[in-house]
Amino acid sequence: MSNYQGDAPAEYIEDVDDEMDDVGDDMDEEFRADDDDDDDLAASDSDVEEFDYSNNKIADTSAEQARKGKDIQGIPWDRLSISREKYRQTRLEQYKNYENVPNSGESSEKVCKVTQKGGQFYDFWRNSRSIKSTILHFQLRNLVWATSKHDVYLMSNFLLTHYSSLTSGKKEVLNVRGHVAPSEKHPGSLLEGFTQTQVSTLAVKDDFLVAGGFQGELICKHLDRPGVSFCSRTTYDDNAITNAIEIYNKPSGALHFTASNNDCGVRDFDMERYQLVKHFRFPWPVNHASLSPNGKLLAIVGDNPEGLIVDPNTGKTLETLSGHVDYSFASAWHPDGFTFSTGNQDKTCRVWDIRNLSQSVAVLKGNLGAIRSIRYTSDGKYMAMAEPADFVHVYDVSKGYETEQEIDFFGEISGISFSPDTEALFIGVWDRTYGSLLEYHRRRNYSYLDSFL
C-alpha cells in the first residue's frame, strides 16, 4: 500500500473533501439563515426535528423518519441549491478512484457480472450522528467492528470507542493520544508501551481487541478486564504500517491473530502465551490476510495484482490468484470454506472457489472506486463489499451473487461489519459534516404470522 503518513495524498483527499464540503457549506448557510429569522424558526417543526439547535448538531435519523421521506443522513435537499440526484451524478462523474495501476478500473469493467439491483436484505434502522467514525489512511478501511447487534467498536480520532445501539451511548475503551503501556507482564511485550499511536487498522472479536499502528505498533486488550494486556512492535523499518489484523481461534480454541504489514510480512501471534509464533515474508507489501474457516489455507493480497493461497503453517505458496489488475486491500472467506472473495483498486471484487482457481467464479463491480472491505454473514447467506465512499453492496450469496442491495449515501467509508448473529449491518461514515454510524437490520419474512392478522 502507499506509504503515506496522515490521511492521503493531498490531491486525492482534497478533491474528495471539497465535494462534500460544498454540500456542507450550503447546509451551514441554510442553518445560519434560519438562526437569523426567529419567526421562521418558531414556525417550522420540521427544522427543529432535523436540527438540534441547543446542541448545535444535526439530529439522528430513525427508520420511522426515513419512511416519512427524511433523508437518512439528515441532508435537507429541498433547501439546497442542488438535488440529491444531481449531486449523485456529479459524484459518479468526478470522484477520483485512487489507482496504483493507471486506468485499472476501466479495464476491468468488461468482465464484470451483470447483477440485478433492488434487493432488500437489510432495512435502514438508524443513522447515529453522536458517534464519529474516522480514518487515518485512505486505503485502509477496517475500523468498524460489531460484537453483537447492539455493540460496535470503532476509531474516533485517537479514541477507540464502544457504541451501544440500544442506548445510543458511547464509551471510551482506549485513548491512544497519550501514553499507552501494558498493565500485564508477558515475555516479548514492550513494557514501555507507545505514545500518540496513529491507529491504521483494528479488529475486535468477542472480548478481544487488537489495534495496529502506522509504526508497526500492536496494542492488545481484553475487553472484559481493565488495562492493556500486550504491546508489540512488528518492525522498526521505515515502511512499518500495520495494514490489517485478523483475530481467530485455533481448532483447540486457542486465541490467535495475524498482522499484515507493509514490510512484506505476515505475523501470527498466540494470545494464550502472548508470543509471536510465525513470521512469513512475501515479495510485496501485504495489505490483507484471511484464514479459511478450517484453518488450513491463508489468502494473501497486497501490492501486486496477483494474490496468493499459502499454507498457514509453513508460509509456502500453494496457489496464485490471477485476474485483478491493480493492488488488493480486502479478502474474506465464506463460512463454507470453499469460496472466498478479494477486493481490489480495479473497482472489482472477485469471488473464488478453492476447488478451481484457474479463474474467478464471479467479478462484481463497484460504482466509484476500489473495493476496500469485504464481509460475509456468519450463516453465509450474504456478502457485503464497501467502496471507499458512498456505496455498500450486499449480495445474496445463496442465489449466486445475482441479486444485490445497493446502499447509497454520501461520505467516505471507515468500515463495515455484520453482527455475529447476522441481524445487523453497521457502516462507518467519515465526513466533516455528515460523519456518523449507519445501522441496518436484517429483513425477516415471518409469513407464519399472517394467519393471526
Side-chain angles (χ1 to χ4, degrees):
M1 56 157 285
S2 300
N3 191 31
Y4 289 99
Q5 296 289 331
D7 291 340
E11 67 274 12
Y12 170 83
I13 204 69
E14 285 175 6
D15 286 340
V16 171
D17 279 349
D18 287 346
E19 292 177 14
M20 282 302 286
D21 284 347
D22 290 342
V23 175
D25 291 343
D26 286 345
M27 182 83 154
D28 291 341
E29 288 173 8
E30 292 289 346
F31 287 136
R32 282 196 294 271
D34 287 343
D35 286 339
D36 292 338
D37 192 337
D38 291 339
D39 292 337
D40 287 348
L41 179 59
S44 175
D45 289 337
S46 61
D47 287 351
V48 173
E49 287 176 0
E50 72 184 27
F51 191 77
D52 183 346
Y53 288 90
S54 63
N55 293 321
N56 193 33
K57 70 175 184 179
I58 303 168
D60 292 351
T61 303
S62 68
E64 180 181 4
Q65 290 171 318
R67 285 193 293 269
K68 292 179 179 179
K70 181 178 179 180
D71 181 84
I72 63 171
Q73 293 180 276
I75 303 174
W77 295 104
D78 58 330
R79 295 187 299 173
L80 300 181
S81 59
I82 187 171
S83 67
R84 191 188 197 282
E85 293 73 20
K86 179 63 176 175
Y87 187 60
R88 166 54 66 218
Q89 187 60 36
T90 300
R91 289 275 280 183
L92 288 171
E93 293 171 355
Q94 298 183 3
Y95 188 93
K96 292 185 178 181
N97 177 42
Y98 186 84
E99 300 172 333
N100 288 96
V101 177
N103 303 313
S104 63
E106 287 71 18
S107 65
S108 295
E109 286 187 10
K110 58 181 177 293
V111 298
C112 290
K113 185 182 187 72
V114 177
T115 59
Q116 179 182 346
K117 296 185 179 181
Q120 197 63 41
F121 316 129
Y122 281 80
D123 293 320
F124 172 77
W125 184 254
R126 191 170 192 85
N127 182 45
S128 301
R129 296 189 53 83
S130 63
I131 189 76
K132 303 291 186 181
S133 178
T134 56
I135 302 166
L136 278 182
H137 195 289
F138 75 108
Q139 290 174 305
L140 305 179
R141 307 299 183 94
N142 290 300
L143 295 167
V144 175
W145 293 86
T147 57
S148 81
K149 62 183 177 183
H150 302 306
D151 299 283
V152 188
Y153 295 84
L154 48 81
M155 288 304 304
S156 185
N157 296 312
F158 281 95
L159 296 180
L160 208 160
T161 305
H162 167 260
Y163 176 77
S164 169
S165 64
L166 270 180
T167 65
S168 297
K170 56 184 178 180
K171 181 177 67 174
E172 177 184 314
V173 176
L174 190 64
N175 187 340
V176 296
R177 182 186 298 275
H179 183 238
V180 174
S183 56
E184 304 173 16
K185 293 184 178 180
H186 301 287
S189 184
L190 289 178
L191 298 182
E192 65 270 26
F194 308 113
T195 301
Q196 290 190 331
T197 304
Q198 292 180 291
V199 174
S200 52
T201 192
L202 178 71
V204 187
K205 179 179 170 64
D206 299 326
D207 290 322
F208 187 62
L209 175 153
V210 184
F214 271 74
Q215 304 299 324
E217 303 98 329
L218 293 172
I219 300 172
C220 304
K221 176 177 174 58
H222 291 272
L223 298 172
D224 56 353
R225 59 196 198 221
V228 169
S229 297
F230 182 76
C231 287
S232 180
R233 190 185 294 274
T234 56
T235 177
Y236 287 88
D237 291 355
D238 291 336
N239 199 17
I241 188 168
T242 310
N243 292 328
I245 302 289
E246 178 164 282
I247 302 170
Y248 69 97
N249 292 99
K250 301 281 279 186
S252 66
L255 184 65
H256 280 238
F257 73 86
T258 57
S260 304
N261 197 278
N262 226 41
D263 72 345
C264 306
V266 173
R267 297 165 174 84
D268 187 271
F269 288 83
D270 181 345
M271 285 294 99
E272 303 297 318
R273 296 181 292 158
Y274 295 93
Q275 290 181 4
L276 171 66
V277 291
K278 293 185 181 71
H279 179 194
F280 306 135
R281 293 190 63 84
F282 298 93
W284 25 260
V286 179
N287 296 327
H288 202 274
S290 54
L291 189 69
S292 62
N294 63 9
K296 295 182 178 180
L297 299 171
L298 188 66
I300 304 286
V301 297
D303 285 6
N304 192 291
E306 293 184 335
L308 303 173
I309 296 296
V310 306
D311 185 322
N313 296 310
T314 65
K316 179 184 177 182
T317 297
L318 304 175
E319 299 282 354
T320 299
L321 309 174
S322 299
H324 284 302
V325 295
D326 206 315
Y327 296 173
S328 294
F329 282 82
S331 64
W333 286 84
H334 186 277
D336 67 9
F338 294 115
T339 56
F340 63 99
S341 297
T342 54
N344 192 277
Q345 290 184 158
D346 63 10
K347 297 185 181 180
T348 70
C349 167
R350 285 182 177 259
V351 183
W352 309 85
D353 191 316
I354 199 67
R355 293 163 292 193
N356 181 7
L357 293 173
S358 60
Q359 62 181 3
S360 51
V361 174
V363 185
L364 308 173
K365 180 180 179 294
N367 295 326
L368 283 180
I371 306 306
R372 300 212 177 273
S373 184
I374 303 171
R375 298 285 185 270
Y376 282 95
T377 53
S378 59
D379 63 2
K381 183 168 176 56
Y382 299 113
M383 185 268 280
M385 70 179 199
E387 301 188 44
D390 293 19
F391 292 102
V392 171
H393 308 261
V394 183
Y395 293 89
D396 188 337
V397 179
S398 65
K399 295 183 178 179
Y401 302 88
E402 297 284 347
T403 307
E404 69 165 292
Q405 175 183 356
E406 187 176 85
I407 300 175
D408 178 340
F409 52 94
F410 293 99
E412 296 287 306
I413 299 169
S414 60
I416 57 174
S417 183
F418 288 111
S419 60
D421 64 1
T422 80
E423 291 301 317
L425 169 63
F426 295 93
I427 303 168
V429 182
W430 174 57
D431 180 74
R432 283 196 285 259
T433 305
Y434 296 103
S436 65
L437 185 69
L438 289 167
E439 180 181 355
Y440 285 76
H441 285 188
R442 186 166 176 172
R443 175 173 286 193
R444 296 291 188 180
N445 295 317
Y446 297 114
S447 57
Y448 67 90
L449 293 177
D450 293 344
S451 61
F452 295 96
L453 299 178

